[in-house]
Amino acid sequence: MQAIKLIGIGADGKASLPRLYERWIYESELLVGGERHLAFFPDYQGETLTIRGGLSQLVERLRHETKRTVIVASGDPMFYGIGSYLSSKLPIEVYPAVSSIQWAFAKMGEKWQDAKFISVHGRSMKGLAQRIDGCDKVAILTDETNSPNAIAKYLLSYGMTEYRAFVGENLGSQDERCRFFELEEMADAEFFPLNVVILQKTKEGPMWPLGIDDDEFLQRKPDKGLITKKEVRVLSISALRLHAKSVVWDIGTCTGSVAIEAAKIAREGSVFAIEKNAHDIEICKENLKKFRVDITLVHGKAPEHLDKFADPDAIFIGGTSGEMGPLLDVCCRRLKRNGRIVANAVTIETLAQAVEGLKQRGFQVDVTLAQISRSKPILELTRFSALNPIYIITAKREEDE
């Protein structure tokens, strides 16, 4: 099979297309692309194939194709485009055009090598808050659902008003439009379907390093204190061995403190949390907004509903509600290779159940007893006040490295 040429084109179609690329297109026998891309070549004499639906079908169609084939796509096909997938399945030669992101930064007169790039084109915005939070410059590829106004409303719901936005529409075409917005303005504006959004931080926003103080979290009253304490939280999260793309479960999330800290580490991953108490769910939602964390939060009692969660790299168990055996069955079965389960226990009975249950299911278990005391003023002196001792149980499969 001869190599297929994948050619990037701009919003102006043939106008900025190099002559060599245009010649390859017209000399081909099969031209493949979306409806918008093929419309740029109404005088093409060969066979055309419109891309509809999944790319796997396209790959099967082209795998044994003997005709000289060219695929046309937007901008740089290797930048959140079809190029990376097709090149992994077929012999492809890629010839990129200027991407919409390059156009947008050029119109702004702004460097772009230091920007963070995110695509919500055909993707969910779930987790976008923690991926953006703290970044100085963010470029976002949009679609008709995840439009600039939808993005603005989403960011405003997390209080991210330190950003202003640049929106470039139909970049490179005759009806190109470029505008700056405050997020409040962008939420009410209308846009052409083809656009990109650049966020620029104009002032500093709040920052929360690992180990957020307990008092920063909204907690249940009058029973304030139903929270994984800062020191224990930091030790437990360390034991989870999280990375940027981790998938994390927080079982019995309560105020959401562990889930929130985990999401700030696993910014490119995802966090799933479950809590049985309806009042705590509402408190957790408020904390998620405050700390700019967007996770999947479910009201229910584990192990129910866990089938809706993606397979985890790490599981934190803050409470079992008397369902230790069934809960460990699900957690141990679903945990990915080299994953970790970390559980907190305040009683020796729960400790014994967890350790025995995990060992029976083929896990290596380590236990740390955390006995934390905090300083407390007394007159002009200082004494120490002890927190409840906590058993931190860490487990990994025996066959994992």
Side-chain angles (χ1 to χ4, degrees):
M1 179 182 179
Q2 59 181 330
I4 296 171
K5 289 180 168 58
L6 174 56
I7 297 176
I9 56 177
D12 57 352
K14 290 193 291 185
S16 60
L17 197 64
R19 289 184 180 180
L20 177 61
Y21 295 1
E22 186 174 356
R23 192 187 81 200
W24 285 340
I25 289 170
Y26 282 102
E27 287 180 351
S28 70
E29 299 170 288
L30 174 63
L31 183 62
V32 182
E35 289 184 14
R36 183 173 63 86
H37 304 114
L38 294 178
F40 289 127
F41 307 97
D43 52 345
Y44 179 75
Q45 298 298 309
E47 180 186 355
T48 60
L49 174 62
T50 304
I51 298 176
R52 304 182 192 275
L55 292 178
S56 59
Q57 295 178 350
L58 176 63
V59 168
E60 290 305 312
R61 167 69 173 76
L62 297 179
R63 194 179 298 278
H64 304 291
E65 182 59 64
T66 57
K67 295 178 180 178
R68 291 193 305 276
T69 301
V70 170
I71 304 172
V72 288
S74 297
D76 183 350
M78 302 301 288
F79 184 79
Y80 288 109
I82 64 174
S84 58
Y85 179 81
L86 294 181
S87 63
S88 69
K89 306 292 182 181
L90 299 166
I92 295 281
E93 297 174 355
V94 182
Y95 300 91
V98 175
S99 71
S100 57
I101 293 295
Q102 289 174 279
W103 272 114
F105 278 107
K107 293 296 180 179
M108 292 174 69
E110 179 69 39
K111 63 181 180 180
W112 61 290
Q113 72 269 14
D114 57 345
K116 181 177 181 62
F117 303 101
I118 296 174
S119 175
V120 293
H121 183 87
R123 297 170 168 87
S124 170
M125 282 201 285
K126 177 63 69 177
L128 188 62
Q130 58 262 33
R131 292 202 293 273
I132 288 177
D133 188 32
C135 297
D136 292 327
K137 194 183 302 177
V138 184
I140 306 176
L141 294 173
T142 67
D143 62 19
E144 291 192 37
T145 300
N146 299 320
S147 57
N149 38 29
I151 291 169
K153 291 172 184 176
Y154 175 91
L155 296 178
L156 288 170
S157 73
Y158 288 92
M160 301 174 77
T161 55
E162 67 268 29
Y163 291 99
R164 74 164 181 167
F166 173 88
V167 182
E169 305 167 75
N170 294 336
L171 291 166
S173 70
Q174 292 183 346
D175 56 351
E176 174 183 280
R177 183 168 63 181
C178 299
R179 295 177 287 175
F180 282 96
F181 294 92
E182 297 300 323
L183 293 184
E184 293 84 354
E185 298 172 323
M186 190 163 80
D188 296 324
E190 294 184 358
F191 301 90
F192 295 128
L194 297 178
N195 61 73
V196 296
V197 173
I198 311 294
L199 299 176
Q200 279 186 314
K201 189 196 293 184
T202 58
K203 59 184 178 182
E204 288 302 319
M207 294 182 61
W208 293 282
L210 180 64
I212 300 170
D213 288 338
D214 297 342
D215 290 341
E216 291 284 347
F217 291 94
L218 180 65
Q219 300 173 48
R220 190 198 307 176
K221 296 178 181 179
D223 302 318
K224 187 174 181 180
L226 295 176
I227 184 175
T228 302
K229 298 297 190 292
K230 177 177 71 173
E231 296 85 353
V232 175
R233 193 187 324 133
V234 170
L235 291 172
S236 298
I237 289 174
S238 174
L240 288 170
R241 303 285 179 88
L242 303 181
H243 54 79
K245 296 183 179 180
S246 289
V247 176
V248 186
W249 289 3
D250 181 6
I251 298 173
T253 192
C254 198
T255 59
S257 62
V258 172
I260 287 166
E261 300 247 33
K264 289 187 172 295
I265 297 172
R267 289 174 179 260
E268 304 298 327
S270 52
V271 176
F272 300 84
I274 186 168
E275 171 56 46
K276 66 176 183 177
N277 186 287
H279 183 46
D280 285 337
I281 283 284
E282 296 307 312
I283 291 173
C284 183
K285 288 178 180 178
E286 292 301 314
N287 283 324
L288 292 173
K289 294 295 184 182
K290 174 179 178 178
F291 294 106
R292 301 174 170 191
V293 166
D294 182 14
I295 67 172
T296 299
L297 177 64
V298 172
H299 178 208
K301 183 178 177 180
E304 296 175 13
H305 307 290
L306 297 182
D307 58 329
K308 302 173 185 175
F309 295 176
D311 287 349
D313 299 289
I315 302 172
F316 175 76
I317 303 175
T320 64
S321 299
E323 300 287 340
M324 181 69 77
L327 180 59
L328 290 183
D329 283 340
V330 175
C331 291
C332 294
R333 185 179 73 251
R334 296 282 303 281
L335 186 70
K336 290 193 282 190
R337 181 174 174 80
N338 294 318
R340 292 289 188 99
I341 297 174
V342 174
N344 285 177
V346 297
T347 69
I348 56 174
E349 288 81 7
T350 302
L351 170 66
Q353 289 176 2
V355 171
E356 183 62 24
L358 287 163
K359 286 183 176 180
Q360 287 177 352
R361 290 164 178 81
F363 279 69
Q364 298 176 352
V365 180
D366 292 311
V367 181
T368 298
L369 174 57
Q371 296 178 293
I372 308 296
S373 295
R374 293 174 177 174
S375 64
K376 191 172 183 178
I378 176 171
L379 300 176
E380 296 182 358
L381 305 176
T382 303
R383 70 178 180 88
F384 281 88
S385 178
L387 304 179
N388 287 335
I390 300 290
Y391 300 102
I392 302 174
I393 306 152
T394 304
K396 63 179 180 179
R397 284 193 181 88
E398 292 181 350
E399 68 268 20
D400 289 345
E401 292 296 330

